[in-house]
Amino acid sequence: MGTVTLGVSIAVPEPFGSLLQERRASFGDPAAHGIPTHVTLLPPTVAEAADLPAIETHLAQIAAAGRPFPMRLSGTGTFRPLSPVVFVQVVEGASACSWLQKRVRDASGPLVRELQFPYHPHVTVAHGIAEEAMDRAYEELSVYEAAWTCGSFALYEQGADSVWRKINEFPFGAGGSSPAVPAQGGSSVDRPFLHS
């Protein structure tokens, strides 16, 4: 059956997703139209195609344990000079994203992998392009704002044409629209949006 390149992410919904994708393209990023606007939970990972059913079961179990939570984007950040990336910041929902990505890569599941950098939820708007264009992305989107209730995450496969396509979406188990209770005080949050 061979291998597949997979990713797991939270899609940025419309109209925000298309707007940020168009802005990414306007900065000259050639990958803009091959990558849906998203917050990564699992970066590109090679897996055996035969493992897809087990992977989908794993992801469905993670989603069933969660519930919808508020997401808010605001302003820009960058990983330069460590990595040539400009991004829109996740200012609400980051702890839930962190919880999810840990479960996706859990040692007991089929998507175990180490990360190259510490996990930092974000929405990439420029990657690996000219410094001047990266500066423009950083400045022009510095006042960008978007907010929505995140109700699911999805599994994507990268095609031979380098385009990422959704294989399956995994809605959170609560099904309702009540957002998670955010962390209180300075406490460490391991399970910010589990069913109580």
Side-chain angles (χ1 to χ4, degrees), residues 74-164:
S74 181
T76 50
T78 184
F79 294 132
R80 295 184 291 173
L82 196 59
S83 181
V85 173
V86 171
F87 56 86
V88 172
Q89 298 187 70
V90 174
V91 296
E92 187 174 5
S95 62
C97 291
S98 292
W99 184 91
L100 285 167
Q101 66 88 26
K102 281 181 195 169
R103 293 332 176 265
V104 168
R105 297 183 301 105
D106 191 82
S108 67
L111 291 172
V112 180
R113 71 162 285 174
E114 293 298 316
L115 298 180
Q116 186 178 359
F117 301 106
Y119 182 72
H120 181 86
H122 64 279
V123 177
T124 298
V125 290
H127 180 229
I129 57 176
E131 286 296 319
E132 300 77 18
M134 302 272 272
D135 292 342
R136 193 160 63 87
Y138 186 87
E139 290 161 16
E140 290 184 14
L141 291 170
S142 64
V143 295
Y144 184 79
E145 297 274 344
W148 70 95
T149 297
C150 176
S152 66
F153 60 87
L155 175 65
Y156 291 81
E157 180 181 351
Q158 186 178 36
D161 56 1
S162 295
V163 173
W164 288 89

